Amino acid sequence: MTIRILPAVGDIDAARSVTTLLSQLPDAEPATPVGDSTQLIDTLARLAGEAFDELPEVVLVHERIGPVPALELIREVSLRFPAVGVVLITTDASPALFADAMDSGARGLVTLPLSYEELVNRIQAAAQWASGVRRHLSSGHEDFTGPGGMVVTVTGAKGGVGCTLVAVQLALAAQASGQTVALVDMDLQTGDIASYLDVQFRRSIVDLALVSEISPRVLTDAVFSHSTGLALLLAPGEGERGEEVSDRSARQIVSALRSRYEVVVVDGGSQMNGANAAAVEMADVAVLVTTPDVIAVRGAKRIVRMWDRLQIRKAEETLTVVNRYTRSTEIQPPLIQKITGTRVAGVAVPANFKELQGVVDAGRLHELDAKSTVKQALWGLAGEIGIVKPRPGEKKNGKVRNDRGSIGGPRGRRGTDAGRGRTEGTR
């Protein structure tokens, strides 16, 4: 059996040493090493998207991989790609680290400096385990979902720019198109999704943060099944308990949700902490909401720069959405794109609070009129970022007939005047 091996080694000398040894292994097919955790996850997701059989049997994770710590990276790989055997390369051979690695999902541990015999034994054992899992999955006992569901984070440039409104309507649009959707309130101190959707529920994201292993049953107990079909994971009622949600637990929670739902929308609020920063880093699409005024745009620029400094996300990988847009505003979307260095969505959300006031005050945001220009714009945004799908028989032309005539906008890589014009035409 040919064993495909993908090394994840950031250090150049260590990568060279690992590559040299792997080239000597019998029946081994080593891939070019990836340099960080983001490249590893992206590579595995791409391979899984092509075909289940394209995934490597073994992934080697070096202890100094970054920016995600090695054990957290192993946990994420194990949750998202359960048919891949992960082996940790480390200088620490203590029983405590070995136990932590196994708890994270590793199938073995190799100590530095590397020994040919030890490396062979660990890789072969991990490959045999991976092959057994794949035979089990292919026999029909479980459905392998590849890279899992799509994660979209929504962050506000500052408080009050409409971050929660955007998150809720994106989730509703995805659910109305036939997707299974989880909506997560990761604005841990001041989250208002429960208020916007008229929900009272005693469980919150904190209940999952305190669990070492999130099983399907534990996850089901923690989420609230809303009448709209959304699965809600709420912020804690006591804001101080938000500190109990660490970046590690946030990664575990997001990974568990994406393995169960087709779309996961995370409301990250406007205050950054370890938990919502981890979610932004894991996201397939990171949405940054701003209003077309100087203070909010400065806030957006500040957040983008902070993400870049902390290696959370690059500016060009962030999608900025302009809320409360009017044609007469002095700061137009192209200027915001230039200032922030991000992509600006082709759909701008019009300034029309009168449409929202009744449902917001009643806590019934899910009952916003389908003819609302705000709702049409936000559902158009959902189409642009690709979280709605056409119903059977409909053409994939960017328009999806959802919820009594609301539309999904065209999906595009960059904000364009043409796309913006289509949105303005609904007002």
Side-chain angles (χ1 to χ4, degrees):
M1 179 187 77
T2 300
I3 302 174
R4 291 164 298 181
I5 306 168
L6 178 58
V9 185
D11 183 77
I12 296 177
D13 293 333
R16 187 181 300 112
S17 174
V18 169
T19 302
T20 301
L21 272 181
L22 291 178
S23 65
Q24 302 173 20
L25 265 60
D27 300 323
E29 188 180 294
T32 303
V34 295
D36 58 44
S37 58
T38 302
Q39 290 182 27
L40 175 61
I41 295 298
D42 288 348
T43 300
L44 292 175
R46 176 178 55 80
L47 293 172
E50 293 174 359
F52 175 35
D53 292 336
E54 294 297 320
L55 284 168
E57 282 75 25
V58 179
V59 168
L60 300 177
V61 175
H62 192 271
E63 63 180 354
R64 291 200 298 271
I65 196 70
V68 177
L71 292 181
E72 293 184 19
L73 178 59
I74 290 172
R75 183 183 298 275
E76 184 174 351
V77 171
S78 300
L79 286 170
R80 294 183 60 181
F81 312 98
V84 174
V86 186
V87 176
L88 174 64
I89 302 175
T90 178
T91 54
D92 182 4
S94 67
L97 178 65
F98 182 84
D100 288 342
M102 296 304 106
D103 288 343
S104 297
R107 303 309 306 172
L109 185 148
V110 180
T111 56
L112 291 168
L114 292 175
S115 160
Y116 174 82
E117 184 176 347
E118 183 184 19
L119 186 62
V120 169
N121 291 337
R122 295 294 178 269
I123 286 178
Q124 289 181 343
Q128 290 176 1
W129 176 86
S131 297
V133 171
R134 295 179 190 205
R135 285 195 300 270
H136 177 71
L137 293 176
S138 62
S139 66
H141 294 289
E142 294 182 37
D143 291 325
F144 179 72
T145 57
M150 185 175 183
V151 176
V152 179
T153 56
V154 183
T155 305
K158 57 182 286 295
V161 296
C163 176
T164 300
L165 167 69
V166 173
V168 170
Q169 289 298 326
L170 288 180
L172 289 170
Q175 194 279 330
S177 74
Q179 310 256 44
T180 56
V181 182
L183 176 58
V184 185
D185 198 341
M186 214 172 275
D187 185 359
L188 298 174
Q189 292 187 347
T190 58
D192 278 325
I193 284 180
S195 298
Y196 274 98
L197 296 178
D198 192 24
V199 171
Q200 292 184 348
F201 191 54
R202 61 186 179 86
R203 294 194 179 275
S204 73
I205 191 172
V206 173
D207 294 290
L208 291 182
L210 302 177
V211 178
S212 58
E213 294 292 337
I214 301 177
S215 65
R217 181 174 180 178
V218 169
L219 186 62
T220 301
D221 289 342
V223 301
F224 178 84
S225 297
H226 195 259
S227 59
T228 58
L230 296 178
L232 305 180
L233 184 57
L234 304 173
E238 304 81 16
E240 66 275 12
R241 296 202 65 191
E243 297 180 359
E244 300 176 37
V245 185
S246 65
D247 55 344
R248 179 176 179 176
S249 58
R251 292 182 191 281
Q252 184 179 3
I253 290 166
V254 173
S255 295
L257 288 168
R258 83 187 308 164
S259 69
R260 188 176 180 87
Y261 298 93
E262 294 174 277
V263 176
V264 180
V265 179
V266 180
D267 178 1
S270 59
Q271 297 294 321
M272 293 305 300
N273 53 54
N276 53 29
V280 170
E281 185 179 359
M282 296 176 66
D284 298 290
V285 178
V287 173
L288 179 60
V289 182
T290 185
T291 48
D293 58 84
V294 173
I295 302 302
V297 174
R298 284 179 178 172
K301 183 179 180 180
R302 184 168 56 244
I303 285 179
V304 168
R305 286 184 171 181
M306 179 173 64
W307 286 353
D308 186 60
R309 289 195 304 271
L310 298 177
Q311 296 185 332
I312 295 171
R313 201 170 197 92
K314 297 179 180 178
E316 58 268 23
E317 297 174 350
T318 301
L319 181 69
T320 296
V321 173
V322 182
N323 189 25
R324 300 173 197 153
Y325 169 75
T326 63
R327 296 181 184 180
S328 60
T329 185
E330 186 173 341
I331 301 177
Q332 291 291 312
L335 179 59
I336 295 174
Q337 179 166 293
K338 182 178 180 180
I339 292 173
T340 61
T342 62
R343 295 187 296 112
V344 171
V347 175
V349 185
N352 200 337
F353 186 70
K354 289 183 179 180
E355 297 178 352
L356 298 169
Q357 188 168 6
V359 292
V360 168
D361 290 345
R364 309 286 292 179
L365 189 56
H366 51 291
E367 295 181 357
L368 181 61
D369 194 323
K371 296 180 181 179
S372 160
T373 57
V374 173
K375 179 172 181 175
Q376 289 183 3
L378 288 171
W379 285 40
L381 174 64
E384 180 177 338
I385 65 180
I387 60 173
V388 297
K389 61 182 181 181
R391 294 181 178 178
E394 291 181 325
K395 295 181 180 180
K396 296 182 179 180
N397 61 356
K399 293 185 178 181
V400 183
R401 286 191 290 272
N402 296 327
D403 190 23
R404 298 173 292 173
S406 295
I407 62 171
R411 184 180 182 183
R413 291 181 295 176
R414 292 188 179 273
T416 62
D417 292 337
R420 196 167 294 114
R422 279 189 290 272
T423 303
E424 291 170 2
T426 63
R427 295 196 290 273

